[in-house]
Amino acid sequence: MKNIIIKTVCVIGLISIASCKKEANQEQTSVNDTIIQFKEISFDIEEQQNELYFVNNKQVTLFASTDTIKSQIKTIENSPSQRIFLVNESDEFYEVNYFSYGSNPLSYNGFVKKKHFKMKDDFSLESVDLNEIRYSNLNGVYDDQSKSFEKYGTVKLISKQSYLQNRRKGNTTFIFSTRNIETNSQTGVYSFSTNSGEQVEVPIKATSEETGLEYLATPIGFSPVLQSYVFRVNEDNETIYSFYSKRNAQEKIQYKSTLPIYNKESQQFAELTNNNDVGCLLVISGLDNNFRFKEKLLANFTNFKIVPNTLFWINEKSLIVEAVHTNQKDDVSKSEYLLIEFNL
């Protein structure tokens, strides 16, 4: 009799467990049935406006609806292979059209929390490819087919604080004041002697044969690294720098549109100047056996211009500079800061 009671209890227990499992499965099925799925949309983004950008590089949840409990979700992160456009907004959420490209493309209408995103700024360098170039020249080999600086290094945004903390770290003074340049006001020339005793004269004022404009020369000093006397020449609000060899009067004068910055450790010069056509030009140079500039790398960046006199070495292979979006003209109130790293 006792065995019969025990068996009966066990059977009832098993039936109860099976019933509970069935109810749990039914409940789970019911919950799954109520999950709000993502709405798929077309990849046609011709009319899309108001692009959104991540505030930082943290992962963010994309929801299928503002009901975060019942929504299908997708984890997204800051990536160049995706774009997000604003459709509508509420107090807490942005309704967005989300496009992800690559090997498994997908496009959803969904919702993200507003605190993770900001609106596109037409003057922000975050919205452009900083490594895009029009052409480059490495050790005399011209290349207008490769459109990325990444074969030589990288360009990326840094904070203003980082820029201010690191500027002048790697710059080395290479031009020093000198008393060896004489001024003759009567004849209107500066003069100096070469190592072999030849006398070189530089007109204080003269008229350019090419432009017909008057220019004014001012001595800056002497560069032991270049074995040259350096003059600044102003002509109709334009400035160039001329380098006269102290070693040999027959050496051709070297000209620069800006004074390069010098890094003693790598014995390299860097120039970054705005191009009248597009973007800006980076030039990295060394020295040849005659103490003349020898260009190693030239690259024409297309998506940013620089604020003059803000370029600094921070180590042998890194430069920092203040830059602006090419959409900006004369207004540089919206400037950002770049780190340029290269391998030569």
Side-chain angles (χ1 to χ4, degrees):
M1 183 68 178
K2 184 177 181 180
N3 289 337
I4 293 174
I5 293 173
I6 292 173
K7 287 180 179 179
T8 302
V9 170
C10 290
V11 169
I12 293 172
L14 289 172
I15 292 172
S16 298
I17 292 172
S19 175
C20 288
K21 284 186 177 181
K22 182 176 180 181
E23 288 178 4
N25 289 336
Q26 288 175 341
E27 183 179 346
Q28 184 65 40
T29 301
S30 176
V31 170
N32 289 338
D33 287 343
T34 61
I35 287 181
I36 303 168
Q37 303 293 313
F38 280 114
K39 176 185 175 183
E40 295 189 12
I41 57 176
S42 168
F43 262 100
D44 181 10
I45 62 171
E46 293 295 326
E47 301 302 322
Q48 299 290 340
Q49 296 179 346
N50 300 325
E51 189 166 2
L52 295 176
Y53 289 89
F54 282 71
V55 171
N56 52 44
N57 289 321
K58 293 182 179 180
Q59 291 185 332
V60 173
T61 301
L62 176 69
F63 299 94
S65 78
T66 55
D67 186 342
T68 59
I69 303 299
K70 295 182 179 180
S71 286
Q72 182 183 7
I73 63 172
K74 176 177 175 56
T75 301
I76 59 177
E77 57 187 12
N78 197 354
S79 168
S81 64
Q82 66 185 16
R83 300 182 73 182
I84 304 171
F85 296 91
L86 175 66
V87 176
N88 209 338
E89 65 177 293
S90 61
D91 290 341
E92 186 180 359
F93 291 93
Y94 284 133
E95 180 184 356
V96 299
N97 286 339
Y98 169 79
F99 301 91
S100 178
Y101 307 92
S103 56
N104 295 306
L106 56 86
S107 51
Y108 290 149
N109 173 264
F111 296 83
V112 292
K113 293 197 173 179
K114 294 171 68 172
K115 63 182 180 180
H116 299 305
F117 292 87
K118 57 187 177 182
M119 293 293 296
K120 176 183 177 180
D121 183 343
D122 288 338
F123 291 157
S124 174
L125 294 177
E126 290 182 350
S127 63
V128 301
D129 180 1
L130 296 171
N131 289 284
E132 182 180 291
I133 59 176
R134 186 168 61 160
Y135 63 86
S136 62
N137 194 320
L138 178 65
N139 296 323
V141 179
Y142 180 80
D143 180 6
D144 61 0
Q145 300 302 309
S146 301
K147 301 299 183 180
S148 176
F149 186 73
E150 291 179 348
K151 61 187 294 187
Y152 308 119
T154 58
V155 184
K156 59 185 178 182
L157 284 165
I158 58 172
S159 67
K160 181 177 182 179
Q161 181 182 11
S162 177
Y163 173 83
L164 294 176
Q165 288 176 344
N166 286 285
R167 64 181 180 174
R168 302 185 189 278
K169 270 188 176 182
N171 282 9
T172 306
T173 301
F174 71 100
I175 301 174
F176 301 89
S177 61
T178 179
R179 297 179 181 178
N180 295 332
I181 300 177
E182 297 181 357
T183 304
N184 190 325
S185 300
Q186 292 183 344
T187 58
V189 297
Y190 301 110
S191 63
F192 62 86
S193 298
T194 64
N195 293 343
S196 58
E198 300 165 294
Q199 196 75 4
V200 176
E201 294 185 342
V202 180
I204 297 175
K205 290 183 180 180
T207 302
S208 170
E209 294 181 359
E210 294 182 2
T211 64
L213 298 173
E214 184 179 81
Y215 64 81
L216 175 68
T218 305
I220 295 178
F222 178 72
S223 173
V225 174
L226 293 161
Q227 284 294 292
S228 296
Y229 291 101
V230 186
F231 292 80
R232 180 176 59 245
V233 181
N234 293 325
E235 177 187 313
D236 192 32
N237 295 324
E238 291 190 9
T239 301
I240 62 170
Y241 296 88
S242 54
F243 298 78
Y244 290 78
S245 174
K246 178 178 172 57
R247 299 172 67 245
N248 187 343
Q250 307 307 313
E251 284 275 2
K252 289 184 177 181
I253 306 169
Q254 298 188 94
Y255 296 99
K256 293 288 185 183
S257 61
T258 185
L259 274 181
I261 58 171
Y262 179 59
N263 182 272
K264 183 179 180 180
E265 301 304 320
S266 64
Q267 297 185 329
Q268 292 188 132
F269 296 86
E271 306 161 56
L272 193 54
T273 55
N274 289 329
N275 188 357
N276 291 332
D277 189 8
V278 60
C280 57
L281 292 172
L282 172 69
V283 179
I284 305 295
S285 302
L287 292 175
D288 65 14
N289 294 332
N290 293 317
F291 300 91
R292 297 177 64 84
F293 293 112
K294 183 179 181 180
E295 182 182 294
K296 294 184 177 180
L297 173 67
L298 181 147
N300 181 194
F301 293 105
T302 59
N303 287 330
F304 63 89
K305 289 183 177 289
I306 61 103
V307 178
N309 304 315
T310 63
L311 181 67
F312 298 96
W313 290 98
I314 59 172
N315 57 48
E316 297 177 33
K317 295 185 176 181
S318 302
L319 298 160
I320 53 175
V321 69
E322 187 174 354
V324 297
H325 196 289
T326 52
N327 286 349
Q328 292 195 73
K329 303 303 179 185
D330 297 327
D331 179 17
V332 295
S333 59
K334 173 62 177 179
S335 60
E336 295 174 87
Y337 303 87
L338 303 179
L339 169 66
I340 303 173
E341 298 176 296
F342 52 86
N343 298 303
L344 295 180

